[in-house]
Amino acid sequence: NAMIAGYAHNGSGSEALALFERMQEEGVKPNKVTFLNILKACAIVASLEQGKHVHSIIKRNEFDANIFVVNALVDMYAKCGSLEDAWMVFNEMRERDVVSWNIMIAGCAQHGHGNEALTLFEQMQQQGVRPDDVTFLSILSACSHSGLVDEGHHLFVSMSQDYGIAPTVGHYACMVDLLGRRGHLVEASDLIKKMPIQPDAVVWMTLLGACRNHGNVELARHAFECVVKLEPAHAAAYVLLSNIYASVGMWEEVANIRKEMEDAGAKKQPGCSWIEVNGKLHTFMVADRTHPQSNEIRSELKQLSGLMKGAGYVPDLSCVLHDIGDEQKEDALCDHSEKLAIGFGLLNMPPGTPLHIRKNLRVCVDCHSATKIISKILERQIIVRDASRFHHFMGGECSCGDYW
């Protein structure tokens, strides 16, 4: 249990799962602590197949009535992309505490089901469960991912006035995200200025991300300066500002910010995607050529590209943030890690089988558009968990409604 917990709490989900398998092979009976940590590991690697296997073991060992274990099950299913299974476990719970409600609200938030989250928020109170600060973090996040500005603003005011809960820096970050996603950048900036507590790097990064989405270069520079003042080697801040400059063709500023990044010792996190096939997790980096099926994957994507263009797909070259020719930009788009993972999944999974993909960064606009088209022409469900939320692609549409 100590080793599994160590792996799980340090983000090494695959190692935790391997140790759990070894534990079973050696005949060591799992207990509540085992299941809490191994479900966390399943959520880390977004392995729905492994999660369902662990669920069956939980039932076999009669831990499916333990509220702590069941809460972890709901959380695992939501983070592995199956909100349906999360709802099933939640609805079958014999008892629910505030953590149970918080997890289900957070799951709805991750999947962009804002109105369902609001309904849950009302139901928990009707059943005598008082919301806490975590509840408000989850419900504000749900409002943000669904564009429910008025509802979110009302809840933010209500948490202190009606519930006596003082907003933390996390709640303010949710509000900045809520306003920023809708393009209310001045209002978001004013909210930060009026904060009674010191804004942290997360708050300023949230504003910086909103500036990227809405092309506000001047405010982006201000938010960036506030981030690096707090965390000088914050790599994501340099990358975001560089991307904003590149998107408007300010190549000299791009070169300058990359030099500043190098001088600060900040290291860019490369794009990476994972897909599970037959119980094995496959990893793809951007422009990856190391996979044994690399050539077949590229052939599959090249063939698919023709079908996509015939269905109306136009590569979004603005997503390539380098000063190169259009043909090179189009080739670079095919090298994005989630596209490689999709190509691998199409090659190795039976037709009609949903593809579950996890990505460490926010999915770009081009990959989002491409995945919608792929889901339509191949009649395939594709579920992508990026750094921000879940995207359920089916029939040429995405569950996020192009709002992420």
Side-chain angles (χ1 to χ4, degrees), residues 46-111:
S47 175
L48 184 60
E49 185 179 334
Q50 290 275 15
K52 288 189 172 185
H53 174 62
V54 172
H55 190 176
S56 68
I57 298 172
I58 287 169
K59 287 180 177 178
R60 196 159 62 240
N61 285 271
E62 298 182 347
F63 278 93
D64 52 332
N66 183 288
I67 190 169
F68 301 104
V69 173
V70 180
N71 282 342
L73 267 173
V74 176
D75 186 55
M76 179 275 295
Y77 276 126
K79 288 178 178 174
C80 286
S82 181
L83 199 59
E84 296 81 4
D85 285 311
W87 273 114
M88 179 192 71
V89 175
F90 179 79
N91 288 329
E92 290 177 354
M93 291 182 75
R94 299 171 192 174
E95 61 172 324
R96 301 187 189 106
D97 59 10
V98 67
V99 176
S100 314
W101 291 96
N102 288 350
I103 288 170
M104 199 64 229
I105 291 171
C108 288
Q110 287 177 315
H111 290 264

